Amino acid sequence: MLKQIAEGVLVHESEFIQSNSVVVQGRDGVLLIDPGITGDEMAALANDLRELGQPVVAGFSTHPDWDHVLWHAYFGDPPRYGTARCAASIRDVLSSEDWKDRVAEGLPPEYAEEIPMDLFGLITGLPAEAAQIPWDGPKVRIIEHQAHAPGHAALLIEERGVLVAGDMLSDILMPFLDLEAANPVEDYLAALRLFESVAADVDAVIPGHGSVGGAEQLRARINQDRAYVQDLRDGKDPSDPRVGPSAPLDWLPDVHRWQLQRLAQSEQSETPG
């Protein structure tokens, strides 16, 4: 199930929207980033790691969306980290007595019965000033930004030249903005500039969903995502294949129209009458 992307960095791709679980090998075990999606897939991933003699010694969630805060008992009980804002956001979800029902509303019906909720969202927030994940392995730099979700973080595995991008820089999904934020467009553009600032150190980019890309694809995806977000800002119909007639997923054009509508409504509400 695991494909090696760089020395000590492996990826498992789920059937659900090409979701990528990332494994980073350390001295005494592995860092597991965004594991998912179904119970069977996670159990198989845990089995693969056992066969490699690599226990899970730490976990990390790039952001608080349901498909990035999953876990399986077979991974054990190591510390599971996220940014402070990510942890606060998922704690807020778990504070409701009916949180399982609320989460279930957003699950894909075809997978809902196969997604384990027992260890859902048990994330420890790192200090706001934390610059890297605390673990005994290659340095993993935390690049926090406000774009897709509260406390969203990309991870740069510096010694391996790998950027784990969370739900950004996908070849199959256009940018999904955090439309609850005060300035979603500017937040996203600022995040893309952050990615641009480290691009020279990146040989491979792993999106939360989609295909792993090389250095040239990283730059191409930054440019494509920037063009899409700017078109959203300007109310234009983007020439982006991810939301056109040949979109990889048939529901993406609907999400695009919804984002366009929400931004237009927000602009109208801010315009003095």
Side-chain angles (χ1 to χ4, degrees), residues 106-122:
L107 299 180
E110 67 272 28
Y111 291 102
E113 297 299 320
E114 304 174 55
I115 297 171
M117 290 285 114
D118 293 343
L119 299 172
F120 180 88
L122 304 181

Side-chain angles (χ1 to χ4, degrees), residues 9-20:
V9 181
L10 305 100
V11 172
H12 165 249
E13 183 181 292
S14 169
E15 291 183 1
F16 173 71
I17 320 182
Q18 292 181 245
S19 299
N20 292 314

Side-chain angles (χ1 to χ4, degrees), residues 60-63 83 142-145 151-155 164-166:
F60 191 88
S61 291
T62 56
H63 61 289
T83 65
I142 300 168
I143 305 176
E144 184 177 356
H145 47 271
H152 193 283
L155 301 175
V164 181

Side-chain angles (χ1 to χ4, degrees), residues 18 20 163 165-166 168-171 205-213 221:
Q18 292 181 245
N20 292 314
L163 180 67
M168 299 180 70
L169 303 180
S170 172
D171 60 329
V205 57
I206 307 172
H209 306 274
S211 304
V212 175
R221 291 181 191 186

Side-chain angles (χ1 to χ4, degrees), residues 19-187:
S19 299
N20 292 314
S21 304
V22 182
V23 171
V24 185
Q25 294 177 319
R27 293 177 181 84
D28 301 314
V30 304
L31 167 67
L32 183 55
I33 305 166
D34 291 349
I37 291 294
T38 68
D40 285 348
E41 286 176 325
M42 287 189 278
L45 174 55
N47 185 61
D48 284 353
L49 293 174
R50 275 196 301 273
E51 290 183 356
L52 291 172
Q54 296 279 305
V56 180
V57 296
F60 191 88
S61 291
T62 56
H63 61 289
D65 286 355
W66 69 264
D67 52 331
H68 295 262
V69 292
L70 300 172
W71 201 252
H72 196 288
Y74 289 175
F75 296 141
D77 188 28
R80 295 164 56 190
Y81 300 116
T83 65
R85 290 191 67 193
C86 170
S89 180
I90 199 63
R91 271 199 311 271
D92 187 53
V93 172
L94 297 176
S95 67
S96 300
E97 290 186 4
D98 63 344
W99 72 265
K100 285 190 178 181
D101 293 332
R102 293 188 180 189
V103 171
E105 291 175 1
L107 299 180
E110 67 272 28
Y111 291 102
E113 297 299 320
E114 304 174 55
I115 297 171
M117 290 285 114
D118 293 343
L119 299 172
F120 180 88
L122 304 181
I123 305 299
T124 297
L126 292 171
E129 67 276 9
Q132 63 188 71
I133 295 176
W135 81 302
D136 192 16
K139 180 180 178 182
V140 180
R141 179 178 162 194
I142 300 168
I143 305 176
E144 184 177 356
H145 47 271
Q146 311 311 323
H148 171 74
H152 193 283
L155 301 175
L156 180 60
I157 309 164
E158 296 184 335
E159 297 172 29
R160 308 293 185 246
V162 175
L163 180 67
V164 181
D167 271 1
M168 299 180 70
L169 303 180
S170 172
D171 60 329
I172 64 167
L173 303 179
M174 75 289 190
F176 285 29
L177 278 63
D178 180 3
L179 295 171
E180 301 303 318
N183 297 294
V185 168
E186 292 309 316
D187 286 347

